[in-house]
Amino acid sequence: MLSLRFAIPTANTLTPPKTKPKPGLVVQTAWNQTDLFPSLPKRYDYKLQAATTDLSVAGDITAEEVVELPAELRRELMPKHVAVIMDGNGRWARQKGLATSAGHEAGVKALRELIELCCQWGIQVLTVFAFSYENWIRPKVEVDFLMSLFERALKSEVESFSRGGIRISVIGDSTKLPTSLQKLINEVEESTKHNSRLQLIVAVSYSGKYDVVQACRSIAEKAKDGQIQLDDINESLIEQELETNCTEHPYPDLLIRTSGELRVSNFLLWQLAYTELFFAQELWPDFRKDEFVDALSSYQQRQRRYGGRH
Amino acid sequence: MERIRERVIQIYGNLVSLLQKCIFCILSVGPIPNHIAFIMDGNRRFTKKCKLMEGAGHKIGFSALMSMLKYCYEFGVRYVTVYAFSIENFKRSPEEVQSLMDLMLEKIEEILKEQSIVNRYGVRVIFSGNLKLLSEPVRLAAERAMLATAKNSKAVLSICVAYTSTNEIMHAVQESCEEKWDEITLLNSSGAGYGLISLGGYEQDEMDHLIKLTDIEKHMYMAAAPDPDIIIRTSGETRLSNFLLWQSANCYLYSPSVLWPEIGFRQFLWAILNFQQIHFYLDKQRKQS
C-alpha cells in the first residue's frame, strides 16, 4: 500500500513528541515507522519553531502548525523553488543486487520524503525530473514499468496531495504517454489546481530544448495571428510560453542532481540561468533528509550576484 | 650572476614545457575534448585577496587566459569559448564597466599582433553576443579582429561579450520567426501558400513542420561552434550564470575552487582526466538525443 504520511515519526527519541497532526490529515500506519524514516542523527539539534506569519498565506495551514528546521538552516534563506534530477535508481538497484524496478520503487519513497520535507520547510515549488525525452530509448520493459509506476503512484497519492494542499502540474511532451496516464494526469491536475501549500511539478517526457522550441512555435503562431509583432519578442514573452508558466516561480533557486554526475542533461535549460547547482554523490534512493539539509545549507552559504557587484 | 640566473630560469621553463608536452602525449591516447568553455570568475576577489590596485585582477586574469589557451591549443582542443562580459555586467558601476571595455579594446589590439597566440596557432576569433550593446570603438575593434582572423582555420576562439544565453535564445527565436514569416509571405504572394493560412486543419501541422530545433540552433550566436564538452567555472561557484544554457545540455561541468587568475596546468589536467573518464557515456547519450 503506497501512501504519503504527514505524521512525525515518534520512534525517534531525540526530540519530544510533536503536537497532534491537524484534523483532516490521515495518519497511515501501513508501514513500520522505523523503515521509512531513519532515526535522526545526533549531530542536529532540532528546535521546535512556531509557525510565523509567512506560513499563514498558504491556503491550508493553520497558525498552530509547528515546523522544525535543522539548526544550520535559516528560514529567510530557504529557496522558493527547488529542482531535482533524480538520478541513480538503476545503479542503486545494481549495487544491492536487485532488479531495476526495485530501484525505481525505492526512488519513489525517497521522493515522497522530499515532498514532505518541502511542505514542512516552506519551499513553494518542487520540480522533479522524472522521465526525460531521451529516456524513451531505454528498454521497453523498463519504460512500461515506469509508466505503470507513475500511474500507480498518482492514483494512490491524489487524495493525500489534496489533503496536504499540494498542487500537481505535469510538464513535458504528454503525447507519447499512454492514454490512460494522460487522462489520469489531466484529472489530477484539475482536482489539485486550487491547492497552494506546495506546487509539485513533475517533468515527464521532458526536454529543455523542446520546451524552448514549443515556446518558439506558440510565439510564431501568435505572430502569424497578429496577436504580437515580431519586434515584441523578448525574454519575458518566451518565459510566458515555456511549460513552466504553470507556476509563479518558474526559475529554480537550487538544482540538486544525485549520483555524482556533473551535468544538467537537458533539464530546464532556460530556467537554470542563475540557479545554484548542487551535485550530490549519493544515489537518488539514498538521498534523504540529511543530504537535503546539506544541499540547502550549501545553497544558503552561496553569494548570488546575478552578474552585478557583491 | 644575473645572466646565470636568467639561464637557469630559461632551462627550468624549457623543462616544464617539455614535461607538459609529455603529459599531453600521454593524454592524447584517450579522447580529446573538441570544445572547452571557460567562465572566468574571481578576478575582483583575487584583487581583494592580494590587495592589488583596482583592475589588476583582470589584467592578471588575462594572462591566465593566455596560458589556458596555450594549453588548449597545444593539446589539440579545436574550439575554446570564454565568457568575457555578460549583459548583466552592464549593471555594475560605470567606472568598472568602462575599465573593462578599455581592457578589452587593449587586448583585442594585442591579440592581432604578429607574435600573438592567435597567429601562432592559427586561431579564428569570433565575438558572440549582442554586439549592438557595446560602445562604438569596442564593436569596431571586435569586427576588425573577426575580419583579420577570418582566414585562420586551425582553431576557433569564441569570446562572449554582451552575451547571455537567454538573450541568445530569444534572438534565435526572433530570427527563426522572422525567417518563417518571410517564407510564408513569399509563398502567399506567389499563390502557393494559400492552403497554409485558410485551411484551419492544416495550419497547426504546417506550423509544426515549419519551426524545428535546427532552425533555432542555426540562428544562435554560437552556431559556429559545436556543443562544449567541458565547462570550467573558477572560484568554486556552481552555477551557469546564463552562459551556454542551451549548449550545455550534456556537457561536463567542472568548478574548481581557485580564482580565475590562479588557474593553471593542474586544473586543466584534472578537467581533461575527468572528461576522459565519462566521455564514452556522454557520447552515447549525445548520439541518442
Side-chain angles (χ1 to χ4, degrees):
Chain A
M1 201 67 79
L2 310 172
S3 56
L4 186 62
R5 292 159 37 236
F6 289 93
I8 311 302
T10 53
N12 164 43
T13 51
L14 290 177
T15 59
K18 307 291 293 296
T19 56
K20 290 201 187 103
K22 75 174 177 61
L25 279 178
V26 174
V27 178
Q28 298 274 2
T29 52
W31 295 97
N32 186 357
Q33 298 260 12
T34 50
D35 270 357
L36 221 44
F37 289 91
S39 60
L40 296 167
K42 293 177 176 41
R43 60 195 160 114
Y44 293 131
D45 176 26
Y46 289 94
K47 295 178 215 156
L48 294 178
Q49 294 179 13
T52 53
T53 48
D54 56 334
L55 285 181
S56 60
V57 295
D60 251 343
I61 301 171
T62 59
E64 294 90 64
E65 181 90 12
V66 285
V67 175
E68 56 179 30
L69 272 187
E72 298 80 352
L73 300 182
R74 289 162 57 191
R75 182 165 291 282
E76 63 274 16
L77 295 177
M78 289 298 271
K80 285 203 180 61
H81 181 167
V82 175
V84 186
I85 300 179
M86 307 185 290
D87 196 11
N89 293 334
R91 259 164 291 178
W92 183 89
R94 265 200 304 279
Q95 270 177 16
K96 304 243 185 280
L98 302 167
T100 323
S101 48
H104 292 305
E105 299 261 12
V108 173
K109 282 192 201 147
L111 175 60
R112 242 181 253 120
E113 186 176 330
L114 186 72
I115 293 172
E116 186 167 331
L117 290 173
C118 289
C119 280
Q120 287 175 2
W121 293 348
I123 290 168
Q124 291 172 25
V125 187
L126 174 67
T127 305
V128 294
F129 202 11
F131 193 84
S132 155
Y133 198 78
E134 283 83 38
N135 291 150
W136 285 111
I137 46 139
R138 288 197 180 177
K140 190 167 183 307
V141 170
E142 189 180 347
V143 171
D144 289 342
F145 173 78
L146 283 169
M147 292 297 126
S148 71
L149 183 64
F150 293 149
E151 271 198 64
R152 268 185 292 134
L154 270 180
K155 278 197 188 113
S156 58
E157 299 306 325
V158 64
E159 262 188 60
S160 23
F161 285 154
S162 298
R163 276 194 302 272
I166 298 177
R167 176 182 166 190
I168 301 224
S169 310
V170 174
I171 59 175
D173 183 12
S174 53
T175 55
K176 292 190 80 164
L177 300 173
T179 355
S180 53
L181 183 56
Q182 287 184 41
K183 226 169 62 125
L184 179 63
I185 287 172
N186 286 335
E187 284 166 16
V188 172
E189 281 185 328
E190 191 59 35
S191 63
T192 56
K193 72 177 181 203
H194 295 296
N195 298 343
S196 54
R197 187 175 178 189
L198 169 75
Q199 181 166 17
L200 174 66
I201 302 177
V202 186
V204 182
S205 180
Y206 179 85
S207 152
K209 285 188 182 175
Y210 271 102
D211 200 0
V212 175
V213 172
Q214 66 83 28
C216 175
R217 286 182 187 160
S218 34
I219 289 174
E221 190 76 31
K222 288 196 170 131
K224 194 159 73 76
D225 294 339
Q227 286 175 35
I228 51 165
Q229 300 299 317
L230 287 174
D231 287 334
D232 293 338
I233 298 179
N234 58 17
E235 294 183 22
S236 57
L237 193 66
I238 298 183
E239 182 189 317
Q240 284 162 32
E241 296 296 332
L242 291 172
E243 294 192 75
T244 43
N245 55 10
C246 53
T247 172
E248 275 176 20
H249 307 286
Y251 294 170
D253 296 304
L254 171 65
L255 171 81
I256 301 172
R257 182 184 180 132
T258 51
S259 84
E261 302 288 354
L262 297 168
R263 57 186 180 269
V264 169
S265 293
N266 207 359
F267 180 51
L268 290 185
L269 298 177
W270 173 284
Q271 297 86 335
L272 291 184
Y274 294 101
T275 304
E276 297 290 337
L277 312 174
F278 182 82
F279 297 104
Q281 290 301 314
E282 298 78 23
L283 302 170
W284 174 246
D286 294 328
F287 189 83
R288 296 305 172 102
K289 188 172 190 172
D290 296 350
E291 290 76 22
F292 190 44
V293 171
D294 283 340
L296 287 173
S297 119
S298 161
Y299 167 80
Q300 293 193 344
Q301 282 161 25
R302 298 193 190 182
Q303 281 190 324
R304 307 184 75 186
R305 298 187 290 277
Y306 302 94
R309 209 162 226 286
H310 293 280
Chain B
M1 195 63 208
E2 199 50 47
R3 258 190 303 177
I4 297 174
R5 192 166 158 272
E6 271 175 30
R7 193 90 184 97
V8 167
I9 291 174
Q10 200 185 13
I11 294 173
Y12 178 72
N14 287 343
L15 270 175
V16 167
S17 226
L18 190 63
L19 186 63
Q20 283 171 357
K21 280 198 171 66
C22 285
I23 294 177
F24 283 156
C25 276
I26 299 169
L27 282 180
S28 13
V29 171
I32 299 177
N34 199 21
H35 182 176
I36 299 184
F38 294 98
I39 301 180
M40 309 187 288
D41 197 13
N43 295 317
R44 287 178 301 174
R45 265 167 287 174
F46 182 77
T47 308
K48 274 203 198 93
K49 183 172 140 185
C50 301
K51 299 192 181 39
L52 301 168
M53 268 182 54
E54 188 124 356
H58 284 107
K59 292 204 171 76
I60 302 176
F62 182 77
S63 19
L65 172 63
M66 289 296 117
S67 0
M68 290 311 282
L69 288 180
K70 193 167 76 90
Y71 299 144
C72 288
Y73 295 133
E74 295 261 325
F75 186 47
V77 178
R78 269 209 77 197
Y79 296 88
V80 179
T81 303
V82 294
Y83 200 9
F85 196 83
S86 157
I87 294 178
E88 303 294 328
N89 294 152
F90 280 116
K91 288 190 210 146
R92 292 185 182 176
S93 70
E95 298 86 35
E96 190 180 343
V97 175
Q98 187 55 42
S99 77
L100 284 170
M101 291 292 136
D102 291 338
L103 179 70
M104 226 182 299
L105 204 55
E106 185 190 318
K107 296 308 172 188
I108 293 175
E109 303 294 329
E110 244 181 65
I111 58 175
L112 291 179
K113 288 207 189 92
E114 199 53 46
Q115 299 307 318
S116 73
I117 197 172
V118 157
N119 289 320
R120 208 169 357 138
Y121 294 104
V123 181
R124 181 178 149 211
V125 178
I126 302 177
F127 285 88
S128 308
N130 199 350
L131 300 180
K132 294 201 259 301
L133 297 174
L134 293 171
S135 62
E136 188 86 4
V138 184
R139 191 166 45 85
L140 290 174
E143 279 166 11
R144 255 200 326 268
M146 286 197 275
L147 214 59
T149 55
K151 291 210 178 57
N152 295 346
S153 58
K154 289 220 194 77
V156 174
L157 170 65
S158 304
I159 304 178
C160 293
V161 283
Y163 174 94
T164 53
S165 202
T166 44
N167 181 271
E168 181 188 37
I169 296 174
M170 181 205 80
H171 173 257
V173 165
Q174 212 167 15
E175 297 271 302
S176 316
C177 287
E178 269 179 35
E179 190 187 48
K180 294 306 167 187
W181 183 258
D182 290 340
E183 260 181 46
I184 295 179
T185 327
L186 205 63
L187 282 171
N188 279 346
S189 60
S190 67
Y194 186 67
L196 285 171
I197 303 297
S198 65
L199 299 172
Y202 277 127
E203 268 187 280
Q204 190 53 51
D205 288 291
E206 290 299 339
M207 217 61 220
D208 276 331
H209 291 310
L210 283 179
I211 295 189
K212 295 191 264 293
L213 192 80
T214 41
D215 295 324
I216 298 183
E217 287 193 324
K218 75 175 184 228
H219 287 117
M220 294 275 191
Y221 295 134
M222 290 290 303
D227 288 349
D229 295 300
I230 311 176
I231 294 184
I232 302 180
R233 184 190 181 125
T234 49
S235 83
E237 306 281 8
T238 348
R239 50 179 184 259
L240 288 169
S241 290
N242 222 335
F243 181 57
L244 298 184
L245 296 173
W246 179 275
Q247 296 85 344
S248 63
N250 283 305
C251 158
Y252 166 52
L253 308 169
Y254 172 51
S255 50
S257 50
V258 288
L259 301 172
W260 175 254
E262 296 167 341
I263 196 173
F265 188 70
R266 198 153 46 110
Q267 285 77 27
F268 180 74
L269 200 59
W270 189 248
I272 301 289
L273 283 171
N274 279 326
F275 162 76
Q276 292 188 333
Q277 203 182 10
I278 57 172
H279 168 78
F280 292 113
Y281 181 69
L282 276 183
D283 213 27
K284 203 166 60 151
Q285 291 282 76
R286 220 170 284 156
K287 286 203 179 81
Q288 284 161 349
S289 72

